[in-house]
Amino acid sequence: MKILRAAMAAVGVGLGLWGLRLLLQTLSLDALIRLPLWLGGAVLADDFFLVPLTVTAGWLLTRWSIGPGRHRTVGTVRTTALYAGLTTLIALPLLLRQGKGVNPTVLPRDYLRDWLLLEATIIVIGVIVAIVQSRRTTRPRRAA
């Protein structure tokens, strides 16, 4: 088992060094200086914006779910919020770069419209599932 761990560690270190070599060969000195700034900004954005936003949304959802009968739809609301948040994080670079740059054919689509349609679809499906779940669980049972 120790040999397998050592081999896996060696492969991981080797891949990391290979990636570092590619990074140093590909990027200019100016880009290498900007890279830690960008990574630090990403860490700060995560720690001071995304984490508090997620914790607050979870707290609000938990407070909301305390009401009678609401515990049945918490999973649907959480899943809908998760999908909407993930697709927003994935689409954010496209939305921010829309129409910028030297080559206008790189981002030729209307990403804002597509993102809004995707978010609306996710929310509509979440609402439909929540309605179906609430009707299924509140229907009185028939005596056998």
Side-chain angles (χ1 to χ4, degrees), residues 53-92:
L53 183 69
T54 305
V55 170
T56 303
W59 180 80
L60 289 172
L61 182 62
T62 303
R63 298 290 298 159
W64 172 81
S65 67
I66 293 173
R70 292 182 180 158
H71 65 279
R72 294 184 181 108
T73 58
V74 170
T76 303
V77 173
R78 282 184 179 164
T79 303
T80 303
L82 175 71
Y83 288 157
L86 286 175
T87 53
T88 299
L89 284 176
I90 291 169
L92 198 59

